[in-house]
Amino acid sequence: TIIENAIGGGRPVLLKDVTEQLPSPLDPLLSRTVFDKSNSISMNDKDLAYNPNFMLYITTKISNPHYLPETLIKTTLVNFMVKTEGLEEQLLGIVVNREKPELEQKNTQLVVSMAKNKKTLKDLEDKILILLKEADASTILDDENLINTLGTSK
C-alpha cells in the first residue's frame, strides 16, 4: 500500500478528512513501535522496514475534534482555527513590543519561568509517586528521602 511504501522510503503521508476515531492499524505508527535490532515496525501483521524520515500527517474537517487521550499522547495536535481572543493576544503582544519592549521582554521571561516551574512541579510529582510506590507501608514515615521530597514540593 501507499503507507507501507512510504514507511520504508521515508516519505510523508497525508491522511485527509479523518474522523475522531482513528483506524486501529495506525496505532504502531502513532506510538512509533519500532523494533531496534531490525529497524522495522509491525503493521497489519507484517514487519515493514522503517525509515526514520517517515512522517504521518492527519487532517480533519471537524472544527473542534475530541480525540481519545491515548491518541493525544501519541500525536501533536495543531489547531489552525483563528479565534478572536488569540488574535487579540497576538496583536497586543505586537503593540506592547513596539511601545514598551522591556515590558514584552519581562512577559517573555515570566512565561519561560512559569514553564520551568511547571516542569519542576511535574518532575517532583513523578518522583513522589515513584517514592510512594516503592515505599514500605510500615516504614513510610521514616523514609527521609520521601519526606525531603515532599518538603521540597511545597
Side-chain angles (χ1 to χ4, degrees):
T1 67
I2 294 173
I3 293 179
E4 291 172 354
N5 292 334
I7 291 170
R11 291 183 302 276
V13 171
L14 172 65
L15 299 179
K16 293 167 51 175
D17 302 332
V18 177
T19 62
E20 289 180 336
Q21 188 68 32
L22 296 179
S24 60
L26 293 179
D27 282 342
L29 290 176
L30 296 178
S31 59
R32 295 185 183 253
T33 312
V34 178
F35 302 114
D36 290 335
K37 293 180 183 175
S38 61
N39 200 30
S40 63
I41 191 165
S42 181
M43 186 172 162
N44 292 335
D45 297 327
K46 287 194 246 179
D47 287 342
L48 305 170
Y50 180 80
N51 186 321
N53 294 326
F54 169 75
M55 295 295 285
L56 177 65
Y57 299 97
I58 302 172
T59 65
T60 183
K61 288 186 176 182
I62 303 170
S63 61
N64 190 15
H66 294 284
Y67 291 103
L68 295 172
E70 298 84 33
T71 302
L72 292 175
I73 289 170
K74 299 174 192 174
T75 60
T76 301
L77 182 66
V78 180
N79 189 346
F80 289 101
M81 296 273 308
V82 177
K83 295 190 176 186
T84 307
E85 299 85 27
L87 277 176
E88 286 175 357
E89 192 172 314
Q90 286 180 351
L91 289 173
L92 182 62
I94 292 169
V95 170
V96 170
N97 197 21
R98 288 232 173 138
E99 299 292 323
K100 296 196 174 197
E102 67 281 350
L103 198 58
E104 182 64 21
Q105 185 178 11
K106 187 173 183 175
N107 182 39
T108 304
Q109 289 172 347
L110 287 172
V111 169
V112 169
S113 175
M114 284 173 46
K116 284 181 184 177
N117 289 339
K118 282 183 181 179
K119 183 183 180 332
T120 302
L121 180 62
K122 174 78 172 111
D123 292 344
L124 280 170
E125 287 173 349
D126 291 344
K127 185 176 181 182
I128 289 169
L129 288 174
I130 290 169
L131 290 172
L132 285 171
K133 180 182 173 188
E134 295 172 351
D136 183 21
S138 61
T139 61
I140 196 165
L141 296 176
D142 298 330
D143 189 345
E144 288 192 29
N145 189 19
L146 177 59
I147 292 169
N148 291 338
T149 305
L150 285 169
T152 303
S153 69
K154 285 185 192 178

Short mmCIF file of all heavy atoms in Angstrom, two decimals, residues 1-11 13 28-29 32-55:
data_model
loop_
_atom_site.label_atom_id
_atom_site.label_comp_id
_atom_site.label_asym_id
_atom_site.label_seq_id
_atom_site.Cartn_x
_atom_site.Cartn_y
_atom_site.Cartn_z
N THR A 1 0.84 -1.19 0.00
CA THR A 1 0.00 0.00 0.00
C THR A 1 0.88 1.25 0.00
O THR A 1 2.08 1.17 0.18
CB THR A 1 -0.93 0.03 1.22
OG1 THR A 1 -0.14 0.18 2.39
CG2 THR A 1 -1.78 -1.22 1.31
N ILE A 2 0.24 2.38 -0.12
CA ILE A 2 0.96 3.65 -0.16
C ILE A 2 1.66 3.91 1.17
O ILE A 2 2.82 4.32 1.20
CB ILE A 2 -0.02 4.81 -0.49
CG1 ILE A 2 -0.55 4.64 -1.91
CG2 ILE A 2 0.66 6.14 -0.32
CD1 ILE A 2 -1.65 5.60 -2.29
N ILE A 3 0.97 3.65 2.27
CA ILE A 3 1.56 3.89 3.59
C ILE A 3 2.76 2.98 3.80
O ILE A 3 3.81 3.42 4.29
CB ILE A 3 0.52 3.72 4.71
CG1 ILE A 3 -0.54 4.82 4.62
CG2 ILE A 3 1.18 3.73 6.07
CD1 ILE A 3 -1.62 4.75 5.66
N GLU A 4 2.65 1.71 3.44
CA GLU A 4 3.74 0.76 3.63
C GLU A 4 4.96 1.19 2.83
O GLU A 4 6.10 1.13 3.33
CB GLU A 4 3.30 -0.65 3.23
CG GLU A 4 2.28 -1.23 4.18
CD GLU A 4 1.70 -2.55 3.69
OE1 GLU A 4 2.01 -2.98 2.55
OE2 GLU A 4 0.93 -3.16 4.46
N ASN A 5 4.77 1.63 1.59
CA ASN A 5 5.89 2.11 0.77
C ASN A 5 6.52 3.36 1.35
O ASN A 5 7.73 3.53 1.31
CB ASN A 5 5.43 2.37 -0.67
CG ASN A 5 5.07 1.09 -1.40
OD1 ASN A 5 5.58 0.02 -1.08
ND2 ASN A 5 4.17 1.19 -2.36
N ALA A 6 5.70 4.26 1.88
CA ALA A 6 6.20 5.50 2.45
C ALA A 6 7.00 5.23 3.73
O ALA A 6 8.00 5.90 4.00
CB ALA A 6 5.06 6.46 2.74
N ILE A 7 6.58 4.24 4.53
CA ILE A 7 7.28 3.90 5.77
C ILE A 7 8.70 3.46 5.44
O ILE A 7 9.67 3.90 6.06
CB ILE A 7 6.53 2.79 6.54
CG1 ILE A 7 5.22 3.33 7.10
CG2 ILE A 7 7.39 2.24 7.67
CD1 ILE A 7 4.30 2.26 7.66
N GLY A 8 8.84 2.61 4.44
CA GLY A 8 10.16 2.12 4.06
C GLY A 8 10.98 3.16 3.33
O GLY A 8 12.21 3.21 3.48
N GLY A 9 10.33 4.00 2.55
CA GLY A 9 11.04 5.01 1.76
C GLY A 9 11.29 6.31 2.49
O GLY A 9 11.98 7.18 1.97
N GLY A 10 10.71 6.47 3.67
CA GLY A 10 10.92 7.71 4.43
C GLY A 10 10.20 8.91 3.84
O GLY A 10 10.67 10.04 3.96
N ARG A 11 9.07 8.68 3.21
CA ARG A 11 8.31 9.77 2.62
C ARG A 11 7.11 10.12 3.49
O ARG A 11 6.59 9.27 4.20
CB ARG A 11 7.85 9.37 1.21
CG ARG A 11 9.01 9.25 0.22
CD ARG A 11 8.52 8.91 -1.17
NE ARG A 11 7.75 7.68 -1.23
CZ ARG A 11 8.27 6.46 -1.33
NH1 ARG A 11 9.57 6.31 -1.37
NH2 ARG A 11 7.50 5.39 -1.39
N VAL A 13 3.20 11.01 4.51
CA VAL A 13 1.87 10.57 4.10
C VAL A 13 0.86 11.52 4.73
O VAL A 13 0.99 11.89 5.89
CB VAL A 13 1.59 9.12 4.57
CG1 VAL A 13 0.14 8.74 4.33
CG2 VAL A 13 2.51 8.15 3.86
N PRO A 28 0.57 1.32 15.70
CA PRO A 28 2.02 1.18 15.76
C PRO A 28 2.76 2.40 15.19
O PRO A 28 3.84 2.75 15.66
CB PRO A 28 2.31 -0.06 14.90
CG PRO A 28 1.03 -0.76 14.77
CD PRO A 28 -0.06 0.25 14.95
N LEU A 29 2.15 3.06 14.20
CA LEU A 29 2.77 4.25 13.63
C LEU A 29 2.70 5.42 14.60
O LEU A 29 3.66 6.16 14.77
CB LEU A 29 2.09 4.65 12.32
CG LEU A 29 2.32 3.73 11.14
CD1 LEU A 29 1.51 4.20 9.95
CD2 LEU A 29 3.78 3.68 10.79
N ARG A 32 5.01 4.82 17.35
CA ARG A 32 6.36 4.58 16.82
C ARG A 32 7.00 3.35 17.46
O ARG A 32 8.10 3.40 17.99
CB ARG A 32 7.24 5.80 16.99
CG ARG A 32 6.75 6.97 16.16
CD ARG A 32 7.69 8.14 16.22
NE ARG A 32 7.17 9.24 15.47
CZ ARG A 32 7.67 9.63 14.30
NH1 ARG A 32 8.67 9.01 13.78
NH2 ARG A 32 7.14 10.64 13.67
N THR A 33 6.27 2.25 17.41
CA THR A 33 6.73 0.99 17.97
C THR A 33 7.69 0.35 16.97
O THR A 33 7.33 -0.53 16.20
CB THR A 33 5.54 0.05 18.24
OG1 THR A 33 4.53 0.78 18.93
CG2 THR A 33 5.95 -1.14 19.07
N VAL A 34 8.95 0.80 16.99
CA VAL A 34 9.97 0.32 16.07
C VAL A 34 10.84 -0.69 16.80
O VAL A 34 11.30 -0.45 17.92
CB VAL A 34 10.83 1.49 15.54
CG1 VAL A 34 11.92 0.98 14.62
CG2 VAL A 34 9.96 2.50 14.82
N PHE A 35 11.09 -1.82 16.15
CA PHE A 35 11.98 -2.83 16.72
C PHE A 35 13.41 -2.36 16.46
O PHE A 35 13.82 -2.17 15.31
CB PHE A 35 11.73 -4.19 16.09
CG PHE A 35 10.31 -4.67 16.25
CD1 PHE A 35 9.48 -4.82 15.16
CD2 PHE A 35 9.81 -4.93 17.51
CE1 PHE A 35 8.18 -5.25 15.32
CE2 PHE A 35 8.50 -5.35 17.68
CZ PHE A 35 7.68 -5.51 16.58
N ASP A 36 14.19 -2.17 17.53
CA ASP A 36 15.52 -1.59 17.43
C ASP A 36 16.47 -2.41 16.57
O ASP A 36 17.17 -1.87 15.73
CB ASP A 36 16.13 -1.42 18.83
CG ASP A 36 15.43 -0.32 19.62
OD1 ASP A 36 14.85 0.58 18.98
OD2 ASP A 36 15.46 -0.35 20.86
N LYS A 37 16.52 -3.71 16.79
CA LYS A 37 17.51 -4.53 16.09
C LYS A 37 17.28 -4.55 14.58
O LYS A 37 18.20 -4.40 13.80
CB LYS A 37 17.50 -5.95 16.65
CG LYS A 37 18.00 -6.01 18.08
CD LYS A 37 17.98 -7.42 18.59
CE LYS A 37 18.42 -7.39 20.06
NZ LYS A 37 18.31 -8.69 20.69
N SER A 38 16.04 -4.74 14.17
CA SER A 38 15.76 -4.86 12.73
C SER A 38 15.32 -3.53 12.11
O SER A 38 15.14 -3.46 10.91
CB SER A 38 14.69 -5.92 12.51
OG SER A 38 13.49 -5.54 13.17
N ASN A 39 15.14 -2.50 12.93
CA ASN A 39 14.65 -1.20 12.48
C ASN A 39 13.39 -1.38 11.61
O ASN A 39 13.28 -0.86 10.52
CB ASN A 39 15.72 -0.42 11.73
CG ASN A 39 15.40 1.06 11.70
OD1 ASN A 39 14.78 1.59 12.61
ND2 ASN A 39 15.84 1.75 10.66
N SER A 40 12.46 -2.17 12.15
CA SER A 40 11.21 -2.42 11.44
C SER A 40 10.04 -2.13 12.37
O SER A 40 10.20 -2.00 13.58
CB SER A 40 11.15 -3.87 10.95
OG SER A 40 11.17 -4.75 12.04
N ILE A 41 8.87 -2.01 11.77
CA ILE A 41 7.65 -1.75 12.51
C ILE A 41 6.60 -2.76 12.07
O ILE A 41 6.56 -3.13 10.89
CB ILE A 41 7.17 -0.29 12.29
CG1 ILE A 41 6.07 0.09 13.24
CG2 ILE A 41 6.77 -0.06 10.86
CD1 ILE A 41 5.83 1.59 13.31
N SER A 42 5.81 -3.25 13.00
CA SER A 42 4.80 -4.24 12.68
C SER A 42 3.47 -3.53 12.42
O SER A 42 2.96 -2.80 13.26
CB SER A 42 4.65 -5.23 13.84
OG SER A 42 3.69 -6.19 13.53
N MET A 43 2.93 -3.76 11.22
CA MET A 43 1.67 -3.13 10.85
C MET A 43 0.86 -4.12 10.04
O MET A 43 1.36 -4.69 9.06
CB MET A 43 1.95 -1.86 10.03
CG MET A 43 0.74 -1.05 9.72
SD MET A 43 1.23 0.49 8.98
CE MET A 43 -0.29 0.97 8.25
N ASN A 44 -0.38 -4.36 10.45
CA ASN A 44 -1.25 -5.34 9.79
C ASN A 44 -0.59 -6.71 9.70
O ASN A 44 -0.61 -7.35 8.66
CB ASN A 44 -1.65 -4.86 8.39
CG ASN A 44 -2.56 -3.66 8.43
OD1 ASN A 44 -3.26 -3.42 9.40
ND2 ASN A 44 -2.55 -2.88 7.37
N ASP A 45 0.02 -7.12 10.80
CA ASP A 45 0.68 -8.43 10.90
C ASP A 45 1.83 -8.59 9.91
O ASP A 45 2.19 -9.69 9.53
CB ASP A 45 -0.32 -9.57 10.72
CG ASP A 45 -1.37 -9.58 11.82
OD1 ASP A 45 -1.03 -9.20 12.96
OD2 ASP A 45 -2.51 -9.96 11.54
N LYS A 46 2.40 -7.48 9.45
CA LYS A 46 3.57 -7.52 8.57
C LYS A 46 4.66 -6.68 9.22
O LYS A 46 4.39 -5.62 9.78
CB LYS A 46 3.25 -6.90 7.20
CG LYS A 46 2.38 -7.72 6.31
CD LYS A 46 2.44 -7.16 4.91
CE LYS A 46 1.10 -6.60 4.51
NZ LYS A 46 1.08 -6.03 3.18
N ASP A 47 5.90 -7.16 9.13
CA ASP A 47 7.04 -6.37 9.58
C ASP A 47 7.54 -5.56 8.40
O ASP A 47 7.93 -6.12 7.37
CB ASP A 47 8.14 -7.26 10.14
CG ASP A 47 7.78 -7.85 11.49
OD1 ASP A 47 6.87 -7.30 12.13
OD2 ASP A 47 8.40 -8.84 11.90
N LEU A 48 7.53 -4.23 8.56
CA LEU A 48 7.95 -3.34 7.49
C LEU A 48 9.23 -2.63 7.87
O LEU A 48 9.40 -2.22 9.03
CB LEU A 48 6.86 -2.29 7.22
CG LEU A 48 5.45 -2.80 6.93
CD1 LEU A 48 4.48 -1.64 6.93
CD2 LEU A 48 5.43 -3.49 5.59
N ALA A 49 10.14 -2.46 6.91
CA ALA A 49 11.34 -1.67 7.16
C ALA A 49 10.90 -0.24 7.47
O ALA A 49 10.03 0.32 6.80
CB ALA A 49 12.24 -1.69 5.93
N TYR A 50 11.48 0.34 8.54
CA TYR A 50 11.06 1.67 8.97
C TYR A 50 12.18 2.68 8.72
O TYR A 50 13.30 2.52 9.20
CB TYR A 50 10.71 1.65 10.46
CG TYR A 50 10.28 2.99 11.00
CD1 TYR A 50 8.98 3.45 10.79
CD2 TYR A 50 11.15 3.81 11.70
CE1 TYR A 50 8.58 4.68 11.26
CE2 TYR A 50 10.76 5.04 12.18
CZ TYR A 50 9.47 5.48 11.96
OH TYR A 50 9.07 6.70 12.42
N ASN A 51 11.88 3.70 7.96
CA ASN A 51 12.81 4.79 7.71
C ASN A 51 12.45 5.92 8.66
O ASN A 51 11.31 6.39 8.67
CB ASN A 51 12.69 5.25 6.25
CG ASN A 51 13.73 6.27 5.88
OD1 ASN A 51 14.07 7.15 6.66
ND2 ASN A 51 14.24 6.15 4.67
N PRO A 52 13.40 6.41 9.49
CA PRO A 52 13.08 7.45 10.47
C PRO A 52 12.62 8.77 9.86
O PRO A 52 12.09 9.63 10.56
CB PRO A 52 14.37 7.62 11.27
CG PRO A 52 15.42 6.86 10.57
CD PRO A 52 14.78 5.95 9.59
N ASN A 53 12.80 8.95 8.56
CA ASN A 53 12.33 10.17 7.91
C ASN A 53 10.84 10.14 7.60
O ASN A 53 10.26 11.14 7.17
CB ASN A 53 13.11 10.41 6.61
CG ASN A 53 14.56 10.70 6.89
OD1 ASN A 53 14.91 11.33 7.88
ND2 ASN A 53 15.44 10.22 6.01
N PHE A 54 10.21 8.99 7.81
CA PHE A 54 8.77 8.86 7.55
C PHE A 54 7.99 9.80 8.48
O PHE A 54 8.26 9.89 9.68
CB PHE A 54 8.32 7.42 7.79
CG PHE A 54 6.83 7.26 7.80
CD1 PHE A 54 6.11 7.29 6.62
CD2 PHE A 54 6.14 7.09 8.99
CE1 PHE A 54 4.74 7.15 6.62
CE2 PHE A 54 4.77 6.95 9.01
CZ PHE A 54 4.07 6.98 7.82
N MET A 55 7.01 10.49 7.91
CA MET A 55 6.15 11.38 8.69
C MET A 55 4.70 11.10 8.30
O MET A 55 4.40 10.91 7.13
CB MET A 55 6.46 12.85 8.41
CG MET A 55 7.85 13.28 8.84
SD MET A 55 8.11 13.20 10.60
CE MET A 55 7.22 14.60 11.14
#
